[in-house]
Amino acid sequence: MSYAELRAQLGALLDGVDDPVARMATTAALLHDSLDHVFWVGFYLPRADGSLVVGPYQGPLASVVLPPGRGVCGAAAKSRETVIVPDVHAFEGHISCSPRSRSEIVVPVMRGDELIAVLDLDSDTPAAFDEDDARGLEDVVRLLSAA
Ligand code: SME
């Protein structure tokens, strides 16, 4: 399924849903079911101390709290830019949630100037994500700040 199709499907699923947890859970489930090369999809939510706490996700058990500024999620939260990691073993400070993970992408979810979450996807395929994924996922997560 293309990202445009995913966005359209998610838009329909989230229509009339104003609960942020329900919106994130539905997004994680749709992405997990639709992207074959992705085995973990989920959200981490920023806390006042700069750490990130796990939100709705699909996939194997993952870290509950990520320390401030650490890992791929911390880098994306800090820069507020999408971070593509073709080889997780080459990313300094990568926090391993699963030995299966070979590549990863983390997309900030913004509402105006405020970071409301980061969306993290892990693949067991090396270099599974490129700029098309970044733009497509950025477009998908824009739906989350719409409610
Ligand atoms: N690898 C992430 C941690 C979260 S898990 O992959 C689900 C990171 O380095 O921030």
Side-chain angles (χ1 to χ4, degrees):
M1 202 186 297
S2 72
Y3 285 108
E5 287 169 321
L6 272 175
R7 192 184 191 285
Q9 193 173 338
L10 188 62
L13 287 165
L14 299 185
D15 187 31
V17 179
D18 61 4
D19 182 88
V21 174
R23 294 173 72 83
M24 284 187 272
T26 303
T27 304
L30 179 67
L31 292 174
H32 188 262
D33 281 357
S34 308
L35 302 173
D36 286 343
H37 57 299
V38 170
F39 72 89
W40 197 94
V41 182
F43 293 89
Y44 279 92
L45 313 175
R47 300 201 294 186
D49 66 357
S51 64
L52 295 165
V53 67
V54 78
Y57 69 93
Q58 295 270 321
L61 276 173
S63 301
V64 174
V65 177
L66 307 175
R70 292 279 315 284
V72 187
C73 291
K78 206 165 150 188
S79 67
R80 294 165 181 219
E81 302 279 347
T82 296
V83 179
I84 299 171
V85 179
D87 175 3
V88 296
H89 302 301
F91 186 93
E92 204 183 318
H94 173 257
I95 300 166
S96 176
C97 281
S98 165
R100 277 177 72 186
S101 185
R102 302 292 304 279
S103 61
E104 184 166 356
I105 186 169
V106 181
V107 180
V109 184
M110 305 295 296
R111 181 179 288 128
D113 288 341
E114 186 196 358
L115 180 80
I116 56 175
V118 295
L119 172 67
D120 182 14
L121 291 87
D122 282 77
S123 178
D124 43 19
T125 305
F129 307 104
D130 61 15
E131 290 298 328
D132 288 344
D133 296 287
R135 302 294 90 80
L137 290 166
E138 286 165 3
D139 201 29
V140 167
V141 301
R142 253 177 234 123
L143 283 172
L144 288 168
S145 48

